[in-house]
Amino acid sequence: MNPVLYLVYRLLQGMAILGNEVYFRKIHYINKQYLSADGPLVVICNHPNTVVDPLLAIMYAREPVFLLANYSLFKNPIAGAILRTLFCIPVKRVKDVAERENRDNDDAFRKSEQHLKEKRSIFLAAEGSSYTERHIRTFKTGAARILFAAESQSDFKLNVRILPVGLTYFDPLKFGSDVVVEVGAPFSAADWKDRYAQNPQETVNNFMQYIEDKFHDLTIHCENVKEDHFLQKLEAVIQSEKPLDTEGVYFRSKKILMSIQEWKKSDATGFKVFEQQVETYFSRLKTLKLKDVKTEKFSVSKSLGLCIVGFPAFIIGLIPNFIPAWIANGLVRWLKLDSAYDTTVRLIFGFFLIFPMLYWIETELFCAFLFPNLTNISFFQTILLIVFYITSGLLAWRVYTEGGRFLNFQKYKRANSDGSLTAMRQPILDVLN
């Protein structure tokens, strides 16, 4: 790779790390060491959160990784030129092709094959399109076709390996949520050499099915949207009762999901009764505009103390961050894109454009009013101010979130004064326990 482009790549990688670490409350990697595997690699992930997915999947990868990206992103000549320069290869999906237009991906495949032959790595989201539910959809065969084409032309001596990266977002559209990245062990396509020689098309299909099955273990894989929503409700109840860290929640949710899937098969009637209990309870909470909370375990003094002590920090963090956050959220509403792009817009445009621009303006105004004789500020002072803006903003968000939890507790306690919510909640908890 050109040394200048290599430096640009590492700079962008650092920006992705910083942006994601700020945007998400917790990013937990499982088997992170596999991201240091030597190339050439074909990095594959599921695709619940558009552009954010590759940023999470490869931001700690040791090898530079080129991205196979949606053709629609390249239609603007300027954006296309930038994306092609910044390690992206356009791929046409069915919905990217106009009526009577030829869906030709030969050039993208040739470039991808050439990258692999040059011992470089590529990334693709095998599901093709992005949907936010925790459900692995059918993988497209493009990855296998590229991989086997490159390997077969080199008599399977390239040693290209597949690196599966499973992404599980606990609330993909919300700032300050958690995400788990479970990385599978890289494996070689060379073991499929004889099968590919005998029947290429069947081998491609079987290979992608093999990879798709792996993702059922690398993610929380619900059967459909309804099951995902139901699991979220169970997660809320058990987390209120027995709080765990991000990794603990992830593995506990997997166990709960496995149990309810087995229950539905073995005792559909009994499960239906339990499902109705859960829906009734959460329907009541929705009517009251409440979230589940374990009132006996909620520390009133700790929560209220944090709100009171943290209120000055809330005001200090609110001043520089409110306007850029308001503009970023307004941009999401104005663009009217599919909701799957909300996080991408907030992260890419907000973190890398809106917030830096507003921070610069606020810094200039701050210095002009408080230090009129100061002609300019040093680079070091600028960095300190940016760190202060970001840190104070995160503290303000923490206090704001805690204030919401405290108010929800008070409302829940009043609504449950007759014990009606407890009566609906306890049977659910008994089953979960």
Side-chain angles (χ1 to χ4, degrees), residues 59-227:
M59 70 181 188
Y60 287 112
R62 186 171 66 185
E63 296 282 338
V65 182
F66 285 68
L67 311 179
L68 271 70
N70 294 342
Y71 174 78
S72 58
L73 301 173
F74 294 77
K75 289 184 177 180
N76 182 288
I78 297 176
I82 293 173
L83 289 170
R84 286 185 175 89
T85 302
L86 299 180
F87 326 106
C88 293
I89 302 171
V91 177
K92 290 183 179 180
R93 303 168 299 173
V94 173
K95 66 181 183 180
D96 294 326
V97 181
E99 187 177 354
R100 297 178 182 175
E101 182 183 356
N102 182 29
R103 183 179 175 230
D104 182 9
N105 279 320
D106 290 345
D107 185 54
F109 279 24
R110 279 193 299 269
K111 288 180 179 178
S112 302
E113 292 163 17
Q114 189 60 36
H115 276 300
L116 295 177
K117 291 176 185 177
E118 294 173 358
K119 302 293 184 179
R120 296 177 179 178
S121 299
I122 60 173
F123 165 91
L124 49 79
E127 292 173 307
S129 299
S130 186
Y131 298 91
T132 56
E133 68 267 14
R134 293 178 293 183
H135 168 71
I136 299 299
R137 289 165 286 119
T138 302
F139 278 12
K140 305 295 187 291
T141 59
R145 285 187 286 151
I146 292 169
L147 169 62
F148 284 117
E151 281 284 22
S152 62
Q153 292 169 25
S154 304
D155 195 29
F156 282 80
K157 294 180 180 178
L158 293 178
N159 193 30
V160 178
R161 291 184 294 169
I162 297 288
L163 181 65
V165 181
L167 304 174
T168 298
Y169 298 86
F170 286 94
D171 194 340
L173 305 181
K174 183 180 178 182
F175 170 79
S177 58
D178 294 351
V179 57
V180 172
V181 183
E182 185 168 359
V183 188
F187 60 94
S188 175
D191 296 337
W192 297 68
K193 177 182 177 180
D194 294 338
R195 279 175 280 185
Y196 184 76
Q198 293 172 6
N199 191 328
Q201 186 57 54
E202 181 180 332
T203 303
V204 163
N205 294 333
N206 291 341
F207 187 75
M208 289 312 298
Q209 185 61 56
Y210 173 75
I211 297 173
E212 183 182 323
D213 291 342
K214 279 185 172 293
F215 274 81
H216 294 177
D217 297 325
L218 295 174
T219 61
I220 291 177
H221 171 57
C222 299
E223 293 179 355
N224 48 47
V225 177
K226 180 182 177 182
E227 186 173 80

Side-chain angles (χ1 to χ4, degrees), residues 378-428:
S378 68
F379 176 78
F380 179 70
Q381 290 171 323
T382 302
I383 295 298
L384 285 179
L385 277 173
I386 291 174
V387 170
F388 169 74
Y389 291 151
I390 295 174
T391 304
S392 64
L394 293 175
L395 285 173
W397 179 257
R398 175 73 178 88
V399 176
Y400 173 79
T401 303
E402 191 58 42
R405 290 182 67 243
F406 180 78
L407 292 176
N408 179 73
F409 162 76
Q410 294 293 343
K411 288 175 64 179
Y412 190 103
K413 192 175 179 180
R414 287 196 298 271
N416 192 40
S417 58
D418 58 354
S420 57
L421 293 179
T422 299
M424 287 188 281
R425 184 180 189 272
Q426 190 59 46
I428 301 169

